[in-house]
Amino acid sequence: MDPFAVSIGPLVIHWYGVLYLVAFAAGGLLGLWRAKHAQGAWSSSLVWDLVFYVAVGAVVGGRLGYVIFYNATYYLSQPIEIFSVWTGGMSFHGGLIGVICAIVLFARRFEKSFFEVADFLAPLCAPGLLAGRIGNFINQELLCRVTEMPWGVVFPMAGPLPRHPSQLSEAGLEGVILFFVVWIYSASPKSSGRVSGVFLLGYSLLRFIVEFFREPDAPLRLPLGHATSSGSIAQSCVVLSAPRCVIRP
């Protein structure tokens, strides 16, 4: 697919940016639905304030995470490229850190607890994951291993051989299946931290599986060899920590 959604003279709009806008709008609309069932704890204006905080945290954190973790040398030599978010290059672990910071600031500003905000937000995150993975597919990012299976996709930037479309697999797992799991789980009242814990645990397990179909990240040298990518290592850390939010004595 052409990465440009609209191209009129000097005006260029990338699909990557369009998808992120759609994701934040979808998250906001889902948040409005949840707010109606929150017994007055969340107003519509509060929901859109949260979307704004999270959008800034996700974009800034995701971009800085990608810059620092994946190719710091290049971006130090070309610092202006750090701001070219629309061309792709976002890190989930960086985005997660950015969102956590946004939740802390939002909770302090509006006098809510951290987990009250996190548990409200967790069911709204799937549209962002879905949109991000589709954006990765269009931009030919997060390339996958070569395959002979019939669902292989040829990415022109990666050569003539077909590869696993793991971006689409992640979109389906993280953006669709995880959405329904967390949404259904959050339908009834849960103790503090459980909904966000289920989201982190579910995301990490699904991402950990798909990462084994990805091509190991070129800029990084991983101690476990070619069977893993940086994402699988990062997700394993969350897998080990997330159950503390879910399992209580």
Side-chain angles (χ1 to χ4, degrees):
M1 291 182 62
D2 189 341
F4 302 143
V6 177
S7 179
I8 305 175
L11 175 63
V12 176
I13 299 177
H14 292 249
W15 277 114
Y16 205 82
V18 172
L19 288 167
Y20 266 87
L21 289 176
V22 170
F24 292 131
L29 294 175
L30 291 172
L32 293 178
W33 192 94
R34 282 179 59 79
K36 292 180 180 179
H37 300 78
Q39 299 179 347
W42 291 83
S43 64
S44 58
S45 61
L46 204 57
V47 170
W48 289 114
D49 284 337
L50 177 60
V51 170
F52 174 76
Y53 274 71
V54 170
V56 173
V59 173
V60 174
R63 185 58 172 177
L64 291 180
Y66 181 84
V67 169
I68 295 171
F69 299 143
Y70 287 88
N71 209 346
T73 303
Y74 170 77
Y75 287 104
L76 286 175
S77 63
Q78 304 287 338
I80 193 64
E81 291 293 323
I82 295 175
F83 301 97
S84 301
V85 180
W86 53 87
T87 62
M90 301 285 281
S91 160
F92 172 81
H93 14 304
L96 178 61
I97 294 172
V99 169
I100 290 174
C101 293
I103 292 174
V104 170
L105 294 175
F106 180 89
R108 290 182 178 179
R109 170 67 177 80
F110 296 98
E111 300 180 346
K112 291 182 176 292
S113 71
F114 175 86
F115 280 112
E116 181 183 359
V117 180
D119 288 346
F120 181 85
L121 176 65
L124 316 180
C125 294
L129 300 175
L130 176 63
R133 295 311 173 196
I134 294 176
N136 293 146
F137 180 79
I138 295 174
N139 281 358
Q140 302 182 52
E141 299 175 316
L142 307 181
L143 292 173
C144 333
R145 297 177 186 273
V146 173
T147 181
E148 296 180 355
M149 301 303 291
W151 55 75
V153 175
V154 175
F155 295 89
M157 292 178 62
L161 298 178
R163 297 172 178 270
H164 283 284
S166 66
Q167 307 98 323
L168 300 183
S169 299
E170 288 190 57
L173 292 173
E174 303 164 8
V176 179
I177 293 178
L178 183 60
F179 168 76
F180 283 107
V181 169
V182 179
W183 188 269
I184 293 172
Y185 181 78
S186 65
S188 59
K190 298 293 188 298
S191 58
S192 179
R194 285 181 179 264
V195 175
S196 51
V198 166
F199 169 79
L200 285 176
L201 183 61
Y203 174 87
S204 300
L205 289 172
L206 295 174
R207 172 82 182 267
F208 187 82
I209 294 170
V210 177
E211 284 292 325
F212 283 91
F213 294 93
R214 271 188 54 191
E215 193 76 26
D217 305 275
L220 303 176
R221 294 293 180 263
L222 302 177
L224 300 183
H226 295 289
T228 59
S229 69
S230 62
S232 62
I233 301 298
Q235 277 16 273
S236 65
C237 297
V238 183
V239 166
L240 295 175
S241 60
R244 296 185 182 183
C245 298
V246 183
I247 303 174
R248 306 272 179 155

